[in-house]
């Protein structure tokens, strides 16, 4: 079992007062049931686009408010157009309500210069109560083998960031496994792997909504294949399996197949109690820029 290292002695933000919570706040619109207003923060951007995991957490909060069950269990999202910082509206619909599960759909819209709505992301999700799930576990899955937190690499160990690309990095505490960080110095392994410790920068412990962020917060595995550049998500499905224990998470992402300009990424998120708390698969467009040889 992994514990929190001594480098994590800084004061922690509690759930409700962290930057992540403030930036994923949704406000119910008066007189329009199921409609929520939001503001997409520039703090979660990659170059100029808003991170897909952050968007998923934002829409996830809206669905949690709209549905009778509190926790996302499975969330499938199609990313239709690139989101940008600024105002947004989330329109939700309750599809079905059962005793242990409720299902809803939601779309996030932004506005063009004329004020017309542009759909950015469409989500279908089932919600339940993670606290009510049985404790029995039968699995062959094993936690990723990753060096101790202090032996992994933070952003300060890599090259200077692309201007405008590092906003999200400032809000996360990522420590990459050195075996999956060679791309940062022009030496990608070619295996299509990424492993990292993950926390929010203010130390706020993870919950189901930050797990929706965690599955899409690491550098893309295409970097480890020697392809540097924007890797936009086309579709992302996430399964939340357990409410995470306090402490840093370990995230492992792999790609086995890059073909036709697209790649898949399979992610696992493990908590400090060695439990698999989230899984995901996404389809993304591969970058077209190859890394320069060192």
């Amino acid at each position: 079992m992994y514990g929190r290292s001594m480098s994590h002695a800084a004061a922690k933000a509690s759930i409700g007062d962290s930057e992540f919570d403030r930036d994923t706040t949704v406000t119910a619109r008066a007189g329009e049931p199921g409609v929520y207003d939001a503001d997409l923060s520039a703090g979660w951007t990659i170059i100029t686009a808003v991170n897909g995991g952050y968007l998923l957490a934002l829409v996830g909060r809206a669905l949690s408010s709209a549905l009778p069950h509190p926790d996302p269990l499975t969330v499938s999202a199609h990313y239709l157009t690139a989101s940008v910082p600024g105002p947004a509206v989330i329109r939700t619909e309750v599809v079905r309500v059962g005793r242990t599960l409720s299902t809803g759909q939601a779309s996030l819209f932004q506005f063009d210069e004329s004020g017309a709505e542009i759909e950015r992301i469409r989500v279908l999700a089932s919600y339940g109560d993670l606290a009510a799930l049985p404790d029995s576990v039968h699995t062959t899955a094993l936690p990723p083998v990753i060096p101790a937190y202090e032996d992994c690499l933070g952003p300060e160990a890599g090259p200077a960031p692309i201007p405008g690309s590092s906003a999200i990095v400032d809000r996360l505490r990522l420590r990459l496994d050195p075996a999956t960080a060679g791309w940062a110095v022009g030496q990608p392994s070619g295996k299509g792997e990424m492993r990292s410790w993950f926390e929010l920068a203010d130390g706020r412990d993870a919950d189901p909504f930050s797990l929706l962020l965690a599955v899409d917060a690491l550098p893309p595995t295409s970097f480890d294949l020697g392809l540097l550049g924007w890797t936009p998500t086309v579709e992302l499905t996430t399964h939340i399996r357990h409410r995470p224990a306090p402490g840093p998470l370990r995230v492992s992402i792999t790609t086995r197949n890059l073909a036709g300009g697209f790649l898949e990424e399979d992610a696992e998120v493990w908590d400090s109690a060695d439990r698999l708390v989230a899984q995901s698969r996404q389809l993304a467009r591969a970058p077209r820029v190859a890394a320069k040889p060192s």
Side-chain angles (χ1 to χ4, degrees):
M1 182 181 299
Y2 290 86
R4 181 180 296 267
S5 74
M6 293 302 292
S7 63
H8 296 245
K12 289 167 50 179
S14 61
I15 292 177
D17 66 3
S18 79
E19 190 167 34
F20 173 74
D21 295 306
R22 293 193 299 271
D23 289 346
T24 55
T25 296
V26 296
T27 303
R29 185 177 288 185
E32 297 187 49
V35 180
Y36 301 86
D37 289 303
D39 189 74
L40 306 189
S41 169
W44 303 90
T45 53
I46 300 174
I47 306 179
T48 59
V50 179
N51 171 261
Y54 164 74
L55 291 174
L56 205 59
L58 190 72
V59 175
R61 287 203 189 279
L63 281 168
S64 182
S65 296
L67 295 171
H69 293 94
D71 300 318
L73 298 184
T74 177
V75 182
S76 294
H78 283 261
Y79 294 81
L80 307 178
T81 55
S83 300
V84 295
V89 59
I90 302 169
R91 303 186 185 279
T92 68
E93 177 186 348
V94 178
V95 176
R96 182 185 181 277
V97 174
R99 185 175 61 85
T100 59
L101 287 176
S102 55
T103 300
Q105 62 183 10
S107 289
L108 184 147
F109 298 87
Q110 291 190 291
F111 315 94
D112 65 17
E113 293 180 356
S114 69
E117 289 186 343
I118 304 171
E119 189 172 7
R120 301 299 197 191
I121 176 176
R122 185 176 296 189
V123 171
L124 182 66
S126 290
Y127 276 55
D129 183 354
L130 288 168
L133 297 181
D135 290 331
S136 60
V137 177
H138 303 277
T139 183
T140 59
L142 297 173
V145 177
I146 182 171
Y149 180 94
E150 55 270 19
D151 295 327
C152 289
L153 304 175
E156 71 282 353
I162 301 169
S165 69
S166 61
I168 189 172
V169 176
D170 295 336
R171 280 145 188 84
L172 302 176
R173 189 182 290 151
L174 297 179
R175 306 289 295 186
L176 291 177
D177 182 341
T180 68
W183 56 269
V185 291
Q187 298 177 352
S189 76
K191 296 179 179 179
E193 298 177 344
M194 203 67 63
R195 291 183 296 274
S196 180
W197 293 91
F198 171 95
E199 284 186 296
L200 296 172
D202 58 18
R204 184 264 219 202
D205 282 319
D207 70 350
F209 298 106
S210 59
L211 291 178
L212 295 175
L213 168 68
V215 298
D216 192 45
L218 271 58
T221 54
S222 56
F223 286 12
D224 192 46
L225 296 173
L227 296 172
L228 301 182
W230 189 37
T231 311
T233 303
V234 176
E235 187 272 343
L236 171 60
T237 294
T238 304
H239 298 161
I240 306 299
R241 309 303 301 271
H242 205 289
R243 187 175 295 275
L249 303 171
R250 285 157 289 159
V251 183
S252 173
I253 306 179
T254 58
T255 288
R256 295 189 305 164
N257 189 51
L258 190 161
F262 294 88
L263 58 88
E264 92 289 342
E265 288 192 336
D266 292 316
E268 292 185 352
V269 183
W270 294 76
D271 71 1
S272 59
D274 280 349
R275 293 177 304 194
L276 180 62
V277 292
Q279 299 165 276
S280 74
R281 166 166 280 198
Q282 74 168 277
L283 182 71
R285 285 189 179 273
R288 297 175 181 175
V289 181
K292 294 180 180 180
S294 58

